[in-house]
């Protein structure tokens, strides 16, 4: 728990920022190509990260030239739900400022990469004109609230979407800084009142997700606060609040670790907002403000225990909390392809490699989606698997939509093996300043290699989740999948195994350093053993989970020449 330790520099920056203003207006107007360090932190609250093109950085330095500074801009989209007009506005922005592509994130938002400073204000203003915002898409506040994406026309899915929207609006910071800086709003005199966050906001980012046990496609337990809605038929019984999820860690720093959220309490339907605010207050007042690497809610819960967490929450809430209710086993539903949505209309889910919507060679995905959305006006919903759902489609339009996609070279879901449909990758190089290795740029060839191995062992139709990240920060949820592949050095990856497909168990580190070229070959003996020795209905992650690291390494070593063995 945070004691008398000195607050970090970031805390001072936030506290003195006058409601997240700092010197942003002056720096934005200045001639420099980038912002000073303190303003970089504040920029995140406004939905943008400053970075530089890492591919060209060394060469530019050798020539005595400045780095190529650029910005990532992220739009916050609760539950991933857009209108056709909003999607088309984002598509137009991609053309104007985003280098011709937009990226669907693992938290149902949209990111534009490669924005230069002089286009920053215009980009953010254009997102707002589409009735979306970038405010609080990043920073030490509640970020985009994720929710099960399927547009099924029943009380369950309507309620999840409505709750995601309500929480997103209610938990947004109240400062007027965003409107003043980016939208030329009128300056507000006097002190800024942030009743929920206070002057220093939260110690770190705070993620909230909403799901049901019947469809955990958002990996709800990876959130700081996972809200699990419980229904009897279409009647909402209430919510289990699970606290302390979060995946970021640092290699070789055992004080940092991934963690899945623990169910702590049950809340009645009308108590959701008050319960969520109490959890945020818990983190606001007790989170570690001295060490940002130790500042997430997960460390509070893990190190102080469930009893302390619950008692402190009850103190804030001023009442006794009910125990979490029993939940059925978690499942993850495949939303790709066509599904009847319950009101006579249909939705179509499309997997998108890396969430990258662009035109490249014969694959003209961006044009295809734009054409479909312009012509048929479906409801676009971004998924936590970096894909898109096109909802509210008339049955008569289905064949034509498929035809448009195929004409533009887009692979339809049934043409993809499950391994390709489910794989996630973070952006990593060249745009992420923290990346230790590639992720997005190796996803397609690596997944193709792994798929070939699976097919060789009769496992081509097996549902296995693979998550690839360029560093251990966990943006593509690498520790919550069957297989996690995490950048370790510029050449090597750490390989994590033994998670579960339903997102209820973390995987574990099995191979500390593997060259990219060796990953598929390392997995092959494990797939071979899985195909041979699996229990009925057992998934690959479960198979690895019931074997020790030594057993898994022995399986791989047995297939290698002696000089290449690990053990
Ligand atoms: Fe960057 Fe690491 Fe996040 Fe990937 S996981 S986007 S490399 S911080």
């Amino acid at each position: 728990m945070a004691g008398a330790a000195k607050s970090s520099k970031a805390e001072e920056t936030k506290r003195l920022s006058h409601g997240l203003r700092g010197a942003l207006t002056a720096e934005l107007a200045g001639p420099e190509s980038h912002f000073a360090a303190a303003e970089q932190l504040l920029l995140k609250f406004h939905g943008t990260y400053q970075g530089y093109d890492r591919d060209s950085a060394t060469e530019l330095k050798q020539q005595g030239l400045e780095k190529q500074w650029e910005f990532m801009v992220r739009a916050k989209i609760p539950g991933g739900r857009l209108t056709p007009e909003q999607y088309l506005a984002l598509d137009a922005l991609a053309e104007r400022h985003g280098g011709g592509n937009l990226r669907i994130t693992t938290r149902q938002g949209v990111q534009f990469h490669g924005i230069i400073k002089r286009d920053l204000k215009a980009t953010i203003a254009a997102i707002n004109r589409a009735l979306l915002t970038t405010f609080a898409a990043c920073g030490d506040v509640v970020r985009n609230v994720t929710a099960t994406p399927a547009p099924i026309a029943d009380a369950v899915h309507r309620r999840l979407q409505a709750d995601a929207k309500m929480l997103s609006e209610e938990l947004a910071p109240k400062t007027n800084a965003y409107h003043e800086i980016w939208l030329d709003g009128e300056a507000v005199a006097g002190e800024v009142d942030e009743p929920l966050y206070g002057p220093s906001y939260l110690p770190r980012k705070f993620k909230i997700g909403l799901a049901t046990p019947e469809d955990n496609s958002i990996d709800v337990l990876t959130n700081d606060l996972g809200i699990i809605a419980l229904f009897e038929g279409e009647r909402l019984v209430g919510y289990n609040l699970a606290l302390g999820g979060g995946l970021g860690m640092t290699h070789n720093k055992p004080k940092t670790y991934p963690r899945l959220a623990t169910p702590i309490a049950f809340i009645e339907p009308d108590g959701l907002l008050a319960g969520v605010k109490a959890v945020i207050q818990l983190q606001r007042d007790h989170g570690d403000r001295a060490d940002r690497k130790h500042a997430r809610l997960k460390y509070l819960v893990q190190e102080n225990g469930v009893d302390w967490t619950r008692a402190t929450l009850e103190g804030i809430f001023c009442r006794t909390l009910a125990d979490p209710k029993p939940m059925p086993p978690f499942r993850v539903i495949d939303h790709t392809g066509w599904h009847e949505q319950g009101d006579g209309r249909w939705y179509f889910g499309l997997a998108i490699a890396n969430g990258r919507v662009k035109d490249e060679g014969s694959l003209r995905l961006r044009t295809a989606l734009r054409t479909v959305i312009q012509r048929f006006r479906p409801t676009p919903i971004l998924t936590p698997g970096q894909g898109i759902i096109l909802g509210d489609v008339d049955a008569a339009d289905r064949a034509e939509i498929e035809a448009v996609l195929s004409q533009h070279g887009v692979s339809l879901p049934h043409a993809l093996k499950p391994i390709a449909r489910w794989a996630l990758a973070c952006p990593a190089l060249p745009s992420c300043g923290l990346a230790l290795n590639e992720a997005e740029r190796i996803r397609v060839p690596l997944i193709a290699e792994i798929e070939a191995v699976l097919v060789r062992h009769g496992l081509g139709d097996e549902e296995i989740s693979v998550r690839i990240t360029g560093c251990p920060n966990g943006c593509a949820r690498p520790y919550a999948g069957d297989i996690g592949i995490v950048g370790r050095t510029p050449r090597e990856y750490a390989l994590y195994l033994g998670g579960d497909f339903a997102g209820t168990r973390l995987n574990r580190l099995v191979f500390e350093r593997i060259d990219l070229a060796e990953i598929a070959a390392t997995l092959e003996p494990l797939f071979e053993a899985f195909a041979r020795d699996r229990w009925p209905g057992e998934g690959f992650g479960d198979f690895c989970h019931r074997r020790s690291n030594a057993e898994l390494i022995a399986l791989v070593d047995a297939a290698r020449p002696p000089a290449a063995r690990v053990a």
Side-chain angles (χ1 to χ4, degrees):
M1 200 187 329
K6 195 170 174 297
S7 291
S8 67
K9 183 92 175 49
E11 288 300 314
E12 195 184 33
T13 300
K14 286 185 279 182
R15 189 170 51 79
L16 300 178
S17 69
H18 183 51
L20 305 175
R21 290 171 179 81
L24 284 176
T25 299
E27 290 215 16
L28 191 60
E32 293 80 14
S33 57
H34 59 286
F35 290 78
E39 273 58 47
Q40 282 181 44
L41 177 84
L42 298 179
L43 276 176
K44 293 179 187 174
F45 289 80
H46 296 263
T48 178
Y49 274 65
Q50 176 173 297
Y52 60 88
D53 177 41
R54 294 184 58 188
D55 282 350
S56 61
T58 307
E59 201 181 319
L60 289 171
K61 191 173 178 192
Q62 283 162 355
Q63 294 169 14
L65 296 172
E66 192 186 47
K67 287 171 180 148
Q68 191 182 315
W69 295 100
E70 56 188 34
F71 296 80
M72 179 279 283
V73 173
R74 183 182 295 160
K76 192 168 84 165
I77 303 168
R81 190 170 278 249
L82 293 163
T83 63
E85 291 71 25
Q86 286 171 331
Y87 181 89
L88 294 171
L90 294 173
D91 175 82
L93 260 182
E95 185 63 39
R96 222 171 316 137
H97 300 300
N101 68 81
L102 53 86
R103 189 177 206 281
I104 300 169
T105 75
T106 53
R107 290 193 64 77
Q108 297 177 287
V110 159
Q111 287 180 184
F112 299 97
H113 292 264
I115 312 273
I116 56 174
K117 186 179 165 219
R118 72 163 178 270
D119 290 341
L120 200 49
K121 188 167 174 172
T123 306
I124 291 176
I127 289 171
N128 277 268
R129 278 198 298 278
L131 303 182
L132 294 168
T133 186
T134 66
F135 191 36
C138 324
D140 299 343
V141 283
V142 172
R143 297 185 174 188
N144 200 33
V145 178
T146 59
T148 301
I152 296 168
D154 64 6
V156 176
H157 293 82
R158 273 197 295 270
R159 181 72 188 225
L160 290 176
Q161 276 297 328
D163 284 345
K165 190 164 179 291
M166 179 274 291
L167 289 175
S168 190
E169 286 167 3
E170 292 285 344
L171 305 175
K174 302 294 180 242
T175 172
N176 198 46
Y178 184 80
H179 287 86
E180 290 171 24
I181 296 167
W182 308 103
L183 309 176
D184 295 328
E186 211 170 301
V188 173
E191 284 302 307
V192 178
D193 190 19
E194 288 283 12
L196 177 61
Y197 293 113
S200 300
Y201 296 84
L202 296 179
R204 278 293 264 126
K205 61 185 162 190
F206 196 92
K207 297 181 180 178
I208 297 179
L210 266 152
T212 60
E214 292 79 12
D215 186 357
N216 183 32
S217 47
I218 67 163
D219 281 333
V220 68
L221 299 178
T222 63
N223 288 276
D224 292 273
L225 172 57
I227 303 170
I228 302 127
L230 302 173
F231 288 82
E232 279 173 6
E234 295 210 4
R235 185 181 75 85
L236 176 64
V237 176
Y239 306 90
N240 277 347
L241 300 186
L243 274 65
L247 298 183
M249 55 164 273
T250 305
H251 291 310
N252 293 333
K253 287 220 176 348
K255 205 176 146 191
T256 68
Y257 42 81
R259 186 179 191 281
L260 291 181
T262 311
I264 300 274
F266 172 79
I267 296 281
E268 301 289 336
D270 61 357
L272 179 64
L273 181 60
V276 169
K277 283 186 172 176
V279 176
I280 293 167
Q281 199 176 325
L282 171 82
Q283 162 69 349
R284 181 194 72 193
D285 297 344
H286 297 275
D288 189 342
R289 290 188 183 262
D291 179 0
R292 286 181 67 78
K293 284 197 175 300
H294 187 256
R296 296 284 295 275
L297 178 64
K298 64 182 175 178
Y299 299 114
L300 262 190
V301 177
Q302 182 67 27
E303 291 164 23
N304 295 286
V306 166
D307 292 345
W308 175 90
T309 305
R310 191 180 159 122
T312 311
L313 206 52
E314 287 179 338
I316 297 168
F317 215 34
C318 297
R319 70 170 206 233
T320 305
L321 290 165
D323 286 339
K325 287 209 184 289
M327 296 183 277
F330 279 27
R331 294 168 57 212
V332 170
I333 305 295
D334 184 356
H335 294 295
T336 59
W338 288 108
H339 304 263
E340 214 277 319
Q341 63 182 35
D343 58 359
R345 292 179 295 175
W346 293 74
Y347 72 89
F348 180 73
L350 190 66
I352 298 177
N354 304 309
R356 188 70 78 167
V357 181
K358 60 181 176 182
D359 289 347
E360 192 170 44
S362 58
L363 173 55
R364 292 181 298 130
L365 174 62
R366 205 178 122 229
T367 303
L369 283 176
R370 184 174 59 246
T371 306
V372 167
I373 291 169
Q374 278 171 340
R375 197 179 297 170
F376 302 98
R377 316 302 287 180
T379 300
I381 305 155
L382 312 177
T383 77
Q386 300 177 301
I388 192 166
I389 287 173
L390 304 170
D392 304 322
V393 174
D394 287 334
D397 294 334
R398 286 177 47 181
E400 226 181 310
I401 287 175
E402 282 196 21
V404 172
L405 294 171
S406 296
Q407 283 155 14
H408 290 83
V410 178
S411 297
L412 298 178
H414 60 256
L416 294 175
K417 291 286 183 198
I419 192 87
R421 288 207 299 269
W422 289 104
L424 302 182
C426 75
L429 295 171
S431 56
C432 177
L434 300 173
L436 302 170
N437 207 332
E438 300 282 354
E440 173 171 347
R441 293 192 293 200
I442 57 134
R443 178 199 184 272
V444 170
L446 178 59
I447 293 299
E449 271 185 70
I450 295 173
E451 181 180 316
V453 175
L454 285 169
V455 169
R456 208 155 43 235
H457 294 284
L459 297 169
D461 293 321
E462 196 66 29
E463 283 193 322
I464 297 174
S465 53
V466 179
R467 278 92 185 268
I468 309 166
T469 58
C471 88
N473 278 317
C475 297
R477 307 192 293 274
Y479 316 112
D482 291 304
I483 300 173
I485 298 170
V486 178
R488 175 80 210 220
T489 69
R491 281 206 60 76
E492 297 156 316
Y493 291 84
L495 183 60
Y496 291 74
L497 300 168
D500 71 337
F501 194 77
T504 63
R505 184 180 63 234
L506 292 176
N507 52 31
R508 64 181 198 272
L509 178 61
V510 179
F511 294 92
E512 227 170 297
R513 292 163 187 269
I514 304 185
D515 195 282
L516 172 63
E518 292 297 315
I519 292 175
T522 301
L523 289 169
E524 177 147 20
L526 302 177
F527 290 148
E528 189 180 0
F530 171 58
R532 189 182 58 232
D533 301 334
R534 69 191 296 190
W535 291 342
E538 189 177 41
F540 179 68
D542 302 328
F543 174 82
C544 292
H545 177 66
R546 71 175 165 90
R547 283 176 158 66
S548 67
N549 278 13
E551 288 173 307
L552 295 173
I553 290 168
L555 281 169
V556 174
D557 272 352
R560 285 174 164 165
R565 289 179 182 168
V566 176

